[in-house]
Amino acid sequence: MEKNIPYDQLQTHAPHNTQVYPNLHQPQPILAQPLITQAPPNVLGGVPSMATCPSCGVRRETKVEFEPSTKTHLLALLICMVGGICCCCIPYWTNSCQSAKHTCSSCGAYVGTYKN
């Protein structure tokens, strides 16, 4: 290895690098990307509605079961305190005072709850 060689001489002594480039005019393969479709969001209410099941992935109308919630118990207690002991079970009979539990109609999996 040589030392103290001026910069001008280094360039003249360097070998010429020749690079081989691939044929740029060759047809390149076209890669197709998969089409991703997203289901609309589940909008649940007090009635059966269209929803996508998180378990089986089927989009169908849900089954609705009503179950008492904290609101139901508080309304029954309020009616009882006001003096209507015989009317305190009305919140348990009306669906508007209970939560609607939605399940998949095909596999029975839990989809969501709508709280009135």
Side-chain angles (χ1 to χ4, degrees):
M1 187 161 218
E2 299 177 23
K3 292 186 177 181
N4 298 329
I5 299 175
Y7 183 72
D8 296 326
Q9 290 178 358
L10 276 177
Q11 288 181 341
T12 57
H13 289 28
H16 295 292
N17 289 335
T18 58
Q19 293 182 350
V20 178
Y21 292 102
N23 189 356
L24 298 177
H25 300 292
Q26 246 180 346
Q28 299 295 323
I30 297 174
L31 300 175
Q33 294 183 353
L35 179 63
I36 299 172
T37 58
Q38 185 175 4
N42 295 336
V43 179
L44 305 175
V47 295
S49 58
M50 294 296 288
T52 304
C53 177
S55 179
C56 65
V58 175
R59 183 155 181 84
R60 284 189 153 174
E61 193 170 278
T62 60
K63 290 183 192 175
V64 177
E65 297 175 7
F66 293 95
E67 49 189 33
S69 63
T70 305
K71 177 183 173 183
T72 311
H73 302 310
L74 289 175
L75 282 172
L77 180 66
L78 181 68
I79 290 172
C80 187
M81 289 176 66
V82 170
I85 292 183
C86 58
C87 299
C88 67
C89 40
I90 291 175
Y92 296 102
W93 293 337
T94 58
N95 292 337
S96 62
C97 296
Q98 299 182 24
S99 296
K101 180 182 173 186
H102 291 263
T103 56
C104 178
S105 59
S106 62
C107 71
Y110 174 74
V111 176
T113 301
Y114 174 72
K115 295 183 180 182
N116 290 335

